[in-house]
Amino acid sequence: MQRCDWVGDNELMQAYHDQEWGRPQHEPQKLFELLCLETYQAGLSWQTVLNKRAAFREDFYQYDIDKVAAMTDEDVERLLGDARIIRHRQKLVATINNAQMIQTWSTPQSFSDWVWSFVDGQPIRQAWATAAEIPSTDERAKQLSKALKQHGFKFVGPTTIYSFMQGAGLVNDHLQSCDWV
């Protein structure tokens, strides 16, 4: 089986690549989880995030948007004491903030439809030959990042958003040689 170069031999990385990465995702709770995971990843390896994913799911109520939006400063303090997760105050606060932004979404489109509108509702297939060709961001990610910030989202810079777009299948950056294209 041929996978993208970044996967390596780690079972969690392989499962994520084979079952999630680049697969179109429209379910709001799943999109929220992917956005949060990319937020946690900033400055760290993706493998670190995947290793802590189960604990994050437990601590953030399986990323139930309403439950996360209702979390308090006391919950943040509790999370900061949990060594099973990435304990970065601003990232944890951003998770709660971003849930609140989705919870109070007030555009005519659903959050999912709005996100997908940045790629005209269809995944963008890049067809890169090598991992070195894959950009860290693009114009669509910059536009989505800017729009999310205007809606009050935190920790949503263009690089984070491009990774989110890859994970949620808005952009399919599987290499040409990958069997999962």
Side-chain angles (χ1 to χ4, degrees):
M1 172 148 313
Q2 183 71 27
R3 293 182 172 97
C4 294
D5 297 347
W6 58 266
V7 177
D9 60 1
N10 178 277
E11 289 182 17
L12 282 176
M13 295 283 280
Q14 290 174 352
Y16 175 73
H17 172 272
D18 297 355
Q19 298 164 19
E20 293 183 72
W21 193 73
R23 306 228 184 274
Q25 182 56 249
H26 295 271
E27 200 277 313
Q29 186 171 330
K30 187 67 174 170
L31 285 173
F32 175 58
E33 177 183 6
L34 291 170
L35 180 63
C36 293
L37 293 175
E38 294 299 344
T39 296
Y40 309 144
Q41 191 268 331
L44 301 170
S45 75
W46 187 243
Q47 187 171 332
T48 297
V49 173
L50 289 181
N51 289 341
K52 297 178 178 288
R53 188 178 195 181
F56 272 121
R57 283 178 169 165
E58 182 183 324
D59 283 352
F60 284 111
Y61 308 102
Q62 307 303 312
Y63 290 97
D64 179 295
I65 293 167
D66 292 332
K67 289 181 180 178
V68 175
M71 292 175 78
T72 65
D73 291 340
E74 290 79 25
D75 291 308
V76 172
E77 293 305 318
R78 176 182 51 80
L79 293 171
L80 288 170
D82 187 348
R84 302 173 308 147
I85 65 170
I86 297 163
R87 296 175 291 174
H88 185 288
R89 181 181 299 276
Q90 290 89 349
K91 292 177 182 181
L92 299 173
V93 170
T95 299
I96 297 166
N97 174 81
N98 294 348
Q100 293 167 345
M101 296 303 101
I102 294 171
Q103 184 186 50
T104 60
W105 195 253
S106 61
T107 67
Q109 294 174 300
S110 69
F111 178 71
S112 176
D113 289 344
W114 180 80
V115 166
W116 276 90
S117 74
F118 285 81
V119 294
D120 297 325
Q122 295 296 317
I124 304 297
R125 174 69 181 123
Q126 309 281 40
W128 305 110
T130 68
E133 295 176 88
I134 300 173
S136 61
T137 192
D138 69 4
E139 193 55 40
R140 287 181 184 92
K142 291 175 185 175
Q143 291 169 2
L144 179 52
S145 170
K146 182 178 179 181
L148 284 165
K149 289 176 185 177
Q150 289 171 342
H151 280 280
F153 285 75
K154 306 291 183 201
F155 265 88
V156 290
T159 302
T160 296
I161 294 304
Y162 190 76
S163 294
F164 163 72
M165 292 172 74
Q166 290 172 313
L170 285 88
V171 173
N172 182 343
D173 278 343
H174 285 281
L175 298 177
Q176 292 172 7
S177 61
C178 180
D179 292 336
W180 297 94
V181 172

